[in-house]
Amino acid sequence: GEGYFAMDSLCVRLHDFVLETAASRITASITGGDGIMQMDPDAHLSFIATANINANEVAGIITFPPDMQRALAGKTLTLDADAGGELGDMSFDKFRIQVPGTADLNMSGRVASVTDFDNLSGHINVTGDFRDIGFIREMLPDPALRERIGFPARMTLDGNIGVAAGAWSPDIKL
């Protein structure tokens, strides 16, 4: 790995952090301004990170249901995020989760009061393309339900999720 970490009375910073293994790579630059450790709503936060995680490398650390193991075998999970603002008013320019050939989920939006969940408000735009979703069946808690529910070969979603005073209002088309 490489990069540097700095912390003083005004700032916490992780800059140009890189961690690599044989098949995975994580990069991040994160800055938290004055008050970030106290979760002050006026504290500035900037977060840019990318992770390319090979499913085979983490299989010994994270246990996946069998269908999910088959769907992820040999694939690289990509996480990509870019957010900034104050803790009281954050902009999420990009949050993406991608598994090649399986799923692509993208979110962006703005959220206020992230440090006070009861007063959380904002909106999140969501798009997704799920091309191999059979592994979801294994995640259902009831074995009988697994047998009764069918999933299409491909599913897309598009919409937004609103939140006001902690009450969620999704408007998503599948």
Side-chain angles (χ1 to χ4, degrees):
E2 59 185 68
Y4 75 87
F5 174 79
M7 182 172 148
D8 61 25
S9 62
L10 299 177
C11 181
V12 175
R13 177 177 288 169
L14 179 65
H15 186 69
D16 292 337
F17 173 79
V18 178
L19 177 63
E20 288 184 274
T21 65
S24 300
R25 177 180 170 92
I26 299 170
T27 63
S29 288
I30 304 167
T31 302
D34 186 28
I36 197 76
M37 301 303 274
Q38 295 79 24
M39 301 298 284
D40 181 344
D42 294 327
H44 178 78
L45 177 65
S46 128
F47 180 93
I48 299 171
T50 301
N52 296 301
I53 308 295
N54 182 280
N56 292 346
E57 277 192 335
V58 298
I61 301 169
I62 301 171
T63 303
F64 296 110
D67 282 352
M68 186 181 275
Q69 287 176 11
R70 284 187 289 280
L72 296 177
K75 294 185 179 174
T76 298
L77 172 69
T78 299
L79 305 169
D80 200 5
D82 185 348
E86 286 74 39
L87 290 180
D89 186 17
M90 292 290 298
S91 171
F92 296 89
D93 296 330
K94 173 176 45 174
F95 183 79
R96 181 179 189 187
I97 302 171
Q98 180 183 34
V99 179
T102 302
D104 194 358
L105 179 66
N106 294 283
M107 294 178 272
S108 63
R110 183 170 214 92
V111 180
S113 299
V114 296
T115 59
D116 181 4
F117 198 75
D118 290 336
N119 291 309
L120 187 68
S121 64
H123 71 280
I124 301 167
N125 301 311
V126 181
T127 61
D129 185 7
F130 303 92
R131 295 170 297 283
D132 182 8
I133 59 172
F135 68 86
I136 293 175
R137 179 176 283 109
E138 281 296 314
M139 297 169 58
L140 296 173
D142 178 10
L145 184 61
R146 289 182 205 146
E147 299 303 317
R148 290 192 310 263
I149 291 191
F151 291 98
R154 184 173 195 166
M155 186 176 1
T156 61
L157 64 89
D158 185 27
N160 62 69
I161 301 168
V163 61
W168 297 83
S169 56
D171 181 17
I172 297 175
K173 295 175 186 161
L174 292 173

